[in-house]
């Protein structure tokens, strides 16, 4: 048991994860615990440079997967584990489940390759709780802000996001104790009620 708790938020682009992040952060901070809010890819100075490459530069799927894991290795060692060790809680906007969903589900990379990177860089390290904001690929697409310039992932077609969603749900089925699926087609208010209940337990 580590002193702090590690919570991750997941979902296809447009599921509404960012809308709920501030609410969750506020809830945790209201209990007087130190909370570190971070994101992937990114979270460290090097990780943020890798993020800029990942979101903007075209590259092979394997390159993409390995850069995600390079950023993650840095993030876990330099930021997440030290924070948890001093008793802080960590809330990350995406983590390793996103690689499974996007690089394996979306891009079609064999899950065995991802597993090798996961064993190497994470060695069994996992979030205490993962909140998966689940919506159909069509609803997610309708919700994605049209005014914003789409990054390399957001430019993908509906079929890509449908595969990403399926992979997320498969992962949630495999780890029901850690991954909590939230029906993100519901209203913000009713999702908050559900979040209150889950966070209260934790
Ligand atoms: P996202 O977290 O949605 O940020 P924003 O809301 O600013 O767009 O964007 C990160 C993108 O990176 C998202 O499209 C999913 C992708 N991604 C992967 O493909 N694999 C990963 O392992 C991670 C962490 C993210």
């Amino acid at each position: 048991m580590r002193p702090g708790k590690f919570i991750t938020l997941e979902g296809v682009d447009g599921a509404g994860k960012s809308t709920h992040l501030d609410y969750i952060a506020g809830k945790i901070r209201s209990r007087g615990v130190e909370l570190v809010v971070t994101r992937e890819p990114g979270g460290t100075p090097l990780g943020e440079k890798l993020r800029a490459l990942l979101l903007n530069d075209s590259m092979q799927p394997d390159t993409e997967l390995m850069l995600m894991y390079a950023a993650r290795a840095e993030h876990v060692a330099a930021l997440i584990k030290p924070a948890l060790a001093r008793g802080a809680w960590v809330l990350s906007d995406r983590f390793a489940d996103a690689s499974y969903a996007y690089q394996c589900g979306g891009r079609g990379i064999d899950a065995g390759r991802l597993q090798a990177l996961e064993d190497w860089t994470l060695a069994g390290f996992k979030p205490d709780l993962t909140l998966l904001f689940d919506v159909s690929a069509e609803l997610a697409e309708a919700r994605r802000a049209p005014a914003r310039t789409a990054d390399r992932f957001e430019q993908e077609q509906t079929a890509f996001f449908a595969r990403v969603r399926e992979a997320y749900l498969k992962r949630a089925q495999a780890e029901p104790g850690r991954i909590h699926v939230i029906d993100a087609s519901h209203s913000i208010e009713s999702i908050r009620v559900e979040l209150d209940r889950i966070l209260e337990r934790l």
Side-chain angles (χ1 to χ4, degrees):
M1 277 293 283
R2 45 190 178 234
K5 298 274 184 209
F6 179 32
I7 304 171
T8 60
L9 307 186
E10 300 282 359
V12 299
D13 295 83
K17 173 175 71 54
S18 318
T19 308
H20 297 292
L21 187 131
D22 287 346
Y23 180 75
I24 295 168
K27 270 312 273 189
I28 297 169
R29 287 193 173 118
S30 74
R31 291 301 185 87
V33 290
E34 183 200 348
L35 178 71
V36 175
V37 177
T38 185
R39 67 172 179 182
E40 286 209 349
T44 64
L46 178 67
E48 291 295 326
K49 288 184 186 170
L50 293 172
R51 178 187 178 93
L53 293 174
L54 280 159
L55 297 193
N56 302 307
D57 292 38
S58 77
M59 62 185 76
Q60 298 298 316
D62 278 350
T63 312
E64 185 178 282
L65 177 63
M66 289 190 278
L67 285 182
M68 288 290 178
Y69 266 90
R72 185 162 298 133
E74 192 68 19
H75 194 204
V76 168
L79 187 118
I80 300 175
K81 283 188 173 172
L84 294 172
R86 68 171 184 266
W89 285 39
V90 177
L91 177 61
S92 186
D93 187 346
R94 299 192 187 282
F95 191 63
D97 298 312
S99 294
Y100 181 79
Y102 281 79
Q103 279 65 56
C104 296
R107 303 269 190 239
I109 296 180
D110 179 76
R113 291 192 178 187
L114 175 133
Q115 195 57 53
L117 283 171
E118 196 160 307
D119 291 345
W120 178 13
T121 57
L122 300 182
F125 176 76
K126 278 178 189 288
D128 295 291
L129 172 71
T130 296
L131 299 169
L132 172 55
F133 293 91
D134 179 57
V135 284
S136 70
E138 289 77 14
L139 181 54
E141 190 173 3
R143 280 182 182 174
R144 283 197 291 277
R148 232 175 58 166
T149 334
D151 64 39
R152 216 162 54 77
F153 294 97
E154 292 162 342
Q155 286 165 15
E156 289 290 341
Q157 304 299 308
T158 314
F160 175 88
F161 292 104
R163 293 196 300 276
V164 170
R165 181 198 190 191
E166 285 316 308
Y168 266 134
L169 290 173
K170 195 169 151 196
R171 188 94 152 174
Q173 258 175 11
E175 293 187 61
R178 170 175 69 87
I179 305 178
H180 194 107
V181 183
I182 292 170
D183 183 342
S185 69
H186 290 161
S187 71
I188 293 177
E189 267 320 304
S190 72
I191 292 173
R192 284 185 176 178
V193 172
E194 191 175 353
L195 290 173
D196 287 348
R197 204 167 33 77
I198 300 165
L199 292 169
E200 214 53 58
R201 267 209 308 268
L202 192 68

